[in-house]
Amino acid sequence: MPDEMTPGETPAGRVAEILARLADLRADDAPTHGGRVLSYVYDSGLAEVDDLARTAAASVQAVNGLDPTAFPSVARMEADVIAFAADLAHGEACDAQVVGLVTSGGTESCLLAVKSARDRWRAGGGTGVPTIVAPVTVHAAFHKAAHYFGLELDLVPVDEHGVVDADDVIARLTPRTAIVVVSAPCYPFAVLDPVPEIAAAASRQRIACHVDACIGGWVLPFWASSEALSPWDFRVPGVTSISLDAHKYGFAPKGASVLLFADRDAKRSAAFATTRWPGYPVVNPTMLGSRSAMSLAAAWAVIEYLGPDGFTTLTDRSRSATDTLRQCVSGITGLRVVGEPVGPLFAVTSDIAIPASDRVDPHLWADAVGERGWVLQPQPGLAQQHGPVLPRTTHLTITPVTADEIDGLTAALVAGADEVRGVAPIDLGELCTVFPSLAADDGLDASSAGALLADLGLAGDDDASPLPDQLAPVMALLDIVPHRRAEALLTELLARLNERPRSE
Ligand SMILES: *Cc1c(COP(=O)(O)O)cnc(C)c1O
């Protein structure tokens, strides 16, 4: 190295400097480990699992999953991951061999389940606009699928516990129904939908029935009392596809989910192929073209390492933490757990059976618990067509590490509730009088949306995040703003996060 070079000018020095900057950028991120964030991240608590995933991902860093004929390791790892998932979902109960796809995540698995069903519905002679029938609690990925793929979403109301009546779903099935979707369990309230009844009716009418087990698929099979659960997997006749996310309770890094099909042709219908351009023949089994093999290799390695025994141990830890937390919340005056949740997640709402002075608003509670260092996820209330208004709630997803921190967390849940008990929920109704444009139910262009956000104090400036520390006021806004306008405002808020003001 020439003497006059400073360390920052050597390759090694520049590398170190860039990595230091990255560490700086990460400084404001929510903690991904230690169980502080009760959504988004799934921490096994096992350092060697993280290390293994990192090394496995790095070893395929340059591979392109686009072409498993050039990179056969991709197909082999996929076969292993799919086989493991098919065992979880009792694929052996199907007459034919269960087949599958490894996708980039739950959303892609859900999108492809719908795309496959739509194309098969058309091939079977379906005409007009196809529909997706599902309980209102179905994941937003199916709203996205309807939007992207030109289907109508026919949502069936649920009761105030998040439970759908199977007959209400069955009554909606028509010749236009391309697919009916049930969840095992649903994300908002962790309700296990009545899969057997709905799948049987769908099967009689030759309608595809997808079970969204994105969150439950990798944990319910190891749940101690899973025998007591109503069946939701391929043991149920009529279930045609199941999604299970490896990057949730499979403890793989983000970017890995499995979509299983009971029928080989259904898998083929999820694909896209074309030979009608002057380039290489395109065959994409999933949505992407070129794709990284890193998350596949990481998921494969984690699954190989943990195996059924590892998942059983981790599930037991999630389960004991979940039991403790549910008991804790049930013991807090003013709060209650919504319905009969299944698996390591649940939602909490205000106990409206008691006087207002004793109630705890779930969103004020989430902020109060947040100040104590634990991040809970507020969920808005929802007005259903032809059904009860679903209450605003706060969601907790529990992972194995939560068990290590359980005393600190329960103390924070109790203290947070004590702090806000009797405080009325934020009501922003008057804001619509001040800013009438909040109440319109249509989209907004970028500058009008930006101006409205600025009026609301949510536009942010160059160096500060536009999101306030308290989320309850933002959630209260969603209570009063019509859906399309709210969606436009949130889109604007997010779009601005990576748009720097142009320098003069
Ligand atoms: C997480 C989830 C999805 C979507 O998965 P992503 O991995 O976030 O894209 C779909 N359905 C359910 C039930 C989920 O919990």
Side-chain angles (χ1 to χ4, degrees), residues 42 104-108 110 139-142 183 185-187 212-216 243 245 247-248 254 257:
Y42 298 75
S104 63
T107 298
E108 190 182 3
C110 297
H139 195 275
F142 293 92
S183 302
C186 72
Y187 184 84
D212 180 0
C214 279
I215 199 156
S243 49
D245 290 352
H247 68 196
K248 286 179 181 156
K254 287 289 175 276
S257 170

Side-chain angles (χ1 to χ4, degrees), residues 338-418:
V338 178
E340 298 285 338
V342 167
L345 57 155
F346 60 89
V348 179
T349 190
S350 185
D351 184 358
I352 52 168
I354 61 174
S357 57
D358 284 334
R359 290 181 203 158
V360 174
D361 176 68
H363 293 172
L364 295 176
W365 177 61
D367 280 341
V369 175
E371 274 157 29
R372 290 164 172 79
W374 301 88
V375 186
L376 311 183
Q377 188 176 54
Q379 303 185 128
L382 184 74
Q384 304 183 89
Q385 271 183 342
H386 317 297
V389 174
L390 299 177
R392 51 166 76 182
T393 58
T394 285
H395 179 107
L396 287 79
T397 293
I398 293 101
T399 55
V401 273
T402 310
D404 301 334
E405 307 289 334
I406 197 76
D407 294 339
L409 177 52
T410 51
L413 297 183
V414 170
D418 289 345

Side-chain angles (χ1 to χ4, degrees), residues 352-498:
I352 52 168
I354 61 174
S357 57
D358 284 334
R359 290 181 203 158
V360 174
D361 176 68
H363 293 172
L364 295 176
W365 177 61
D367 280 341
V369 175
E371 274 157 29
R372 290 164 172 79
W374 301 88
V375 186
L376 311 183
Q377 188 176 54
Q379 303 185 128
L382 184 74
Q384 304 183 89
Q385 271 183 342
H386 317 297
V389 174
L390 299 177
R392 51 166 76 182
T393 58
T394 285
H395 179 107
L396 287 79
T397 293
I398 293 101
T399 55
V401 273
T402 310
D404 301 334
E405 307 289 334
I406 197 76
D407 294 339
L409 177 52
T410 51
L413 297 183
V414 170
D418 289 345
E419 184 186 318
V420 299
R421 184 169 297 108
V423 181
I426 300 175
D427 178 357
L428 295 179
E430 282 168 29
L431 217 56
C432 290
T433 344
V434 187
F435 305 113
S437 98
L438 271 180
D441 191 11
D442 53 16
L444 281 171
D445 62 34
S447 60
S448 318
L452 192 47
L453 285 176
D455 285 343
L456 297 168
L458 292 173
D461 48 48
D462 308 10
D463 43 32
S465 157
L467 275 185
D469 291 337
Q470 310 272 311
L471 280 182
V474 179
M475 299 304 287
L477 207 54
L478 297 185
D479 277 347
I480 58 155
V481 181
H483 292 298
R484 286 191 54 192
R485 180 117 316 181
E487 287 152 6
L489 287 173
L490 292 175
T491 301
E492 182 62 27
L493 195 102
L494 264 290
R496 283 170 172 252
L497 292 183
N498 62 3

